[in-house]
Amino acid sequence: MPRYKLTIEYDGTPFSGWQIQDTAPTVQGALEAAVKAICGEDVRVHGAGRTDAGVHARGQVAHCDIAKSFPRGRLRDGLNAHLRPNPIAVLAADIVADDFEARFSAIKRHYLYRIVNTRANLALDIGRVWRVPRALDAGAMHVAAQRLLGKHDFTTFRDTECQAKSPEKTLDQLDVTREGDAVNIVTSARSFLHSQVRSMVGSLVWVGEGRWSADDLAAALKARNRAACGPVAPPDGLYLMRVDYE
C-alpha cells in the first residue's frame, strides 16, 4: 500500500482548524472527503501541524496510505478537482517510504506572522494579516525577540488547553523585520506549543508599542505563568510556511 506525502496550501479562514470535527468544516475533513471521492476508501490524512481555526498554510505537509497506486501527478490533480470550491490546494503528492510520518519525521517547522501597521482599513488583506493601527518599533521587537531564543519552559506562551507533555521547547529563530507598513515575524523550531507563536507575537506587539521592554518580555518568559503573557495575536496573520525533513 503506497504512502503518499502531500504538500498543501490553504486559506484557513472558513475552517475550524486542521483537525477533523463532527460539526464544523476542517482542512483535514475536506482532504479526507476528497481522498474518499477518488478511492472509495475512508483514509486518515495525518498532518505535520494542527493549525488552529483561521490559520493559513503555504507548505503544510500530510501523509496518507492509499491502496491504489497513481501515475505521477494524477493523485494531486484528482484531489484538487474534488477539493473545489474549498480554498485548499494540493501542491504535490509523492510516494514516500513506509516509515515516513508527516508529524513525527519533521525536524523543523517554519512560520510567518504578517502584521500591517497602518491606521487605514484593510481591503485586500482582510482575514490574512493583523492590522495594528498604533505605531510599532520593529527594531525594538526584534531585539526583544532574541531573548526568547534557545531552550526554555514556554508555559507563559502556551495555551491552557495545550496537550503537549512538556512546556519546554527550543526556539531556533524569531526575527522581526519591517518593509513599509508590513511587519513580518519569522520563527522556526522543531515543534511549537499550542498557540505559542500567536502568544509570542502578541507580546512582541506590546514591545513594539512601547508598553513592554525587552526585560519585560524576558520576565514574562521567566514567570512560567500564562497570566504573564501579553495579548494573543489573532489567527489571521499566521502561516505555516514550510516543514523540513531529513
Side-chain angles (χ1 to χ4, degrees):
M1 181 178 294
R3 173 160 294 186
Y4 286 90
K5 174 188 175 186
L6 308 178
T7 305
I8 310 154
E9 177 179 280
Y10 52 83
D11 176 353
T13 305
F15 299 106
S16 295
W18 165 270
Q19 192 168 3
I20 197 164
Q21 300 178 32
D22 292 334
T23 59
T26 65
V27 179
Q28 186 182 34
L31 284 164
E32 291 183 0
V35 172
K36 185 170 184 178
I38 292 173
C39 307
E41 303 176 54
D42 288 313
V43 172
R44 178 61 51 179
V45 177
H46 304 270
R50 297 176 180 176
T51 53
D52 290 337
V55 175
H56 317 295
R58 291 282 190 184
Q60 170 73 284
V61 175
H63 80 266
C64 58
D65 298 326
I66 300 175
K68 184 178 179 180
S69 181
F70 293 85
R72 186 172 181 81
R74 186 71 59 81
L75 178 60
R76 177 202 61 206
D77 295 346
L79 289 174
N80 285 328
H82 287 286
L83 282 166
R84 299 187 188 105
N86 290 300
I88 303 172
V90 176
L91 306 179
D94 302 306
I95 295 177
V96 291
D98 292 344
D99 61 353
F100 174 84
E101 295 274 349
R103 180 181 176 189
F104 298 110
S105 299
I107 59 172
K108 191 169 288 190
R109 293 164 172 84
H110 304 267
Y111 283 89
L112 165 67
Y113 196 96
R114 299 176 59 206
I115 295 172
V116 173
N117 190 201
T118 177
R119 294 188 63 83
N121 291 334
L122 298 175
L124 299 180
D125 280 329
I126 293 174
R128 293 177 175 84
V129 300
W130 180 16
R131 181 180 72 89
V132 177
R134 298 167 296 281
L136 294 177
D137 184 339
M141 293 168 68
H142 178 75
V143 170
Q146 307 318 294
R147 305 285 287 272
L148 301 182
L149 295 181
K151 185 176 181 179
H152 302 287
D153 180 328
F154 281 97
T155 295
T156 298
F157 304 100
R158 177 189 194 184
D159 190 275
T160 55
E161 296 183 3
C162 179
Q163 297 178 358
K165 294 181 180 178
S166 169
E168 288 192 352
K169 294 293 177 183
T170 300
L171 194 63
D172 298 316
Q173 178 185 16
L174 187 58
D175 292 335
V176 184
T177 59
R178 175 186 281 278
E179 185 175 348
D181 290 335
V183 176
N184 293 323
I185 300 174
V186 175
T187 186
S188 60
R190 185 180 187 95
S191 61
F192 292 88
L193 299 166
H194 186 190
S195 294
Q196 181 182 344
V197 176
R198 291 167 55 204
S199 298
M200 294 189 302
V201 168
S203 294
L204 286 172
V205 163
W206 269 12
V207 173
E209 293 174 341
R211 300 190 192 190
W212 274 10
S213 67
D215 287 342
D216 291 328
L217 183 69
L221 172 68
K222 188 176 180 180
R224 299 189 294 276
N225 184 341
R226 183 63 174 168
C229 185
V232 178
D236 308 45
L238 184 57
Y239 296 74
L240 173 56
M241 297 298 291
R242 191 174 84 247
V243 184
D244 293 344
Y245 299 90
E246 292 181 348

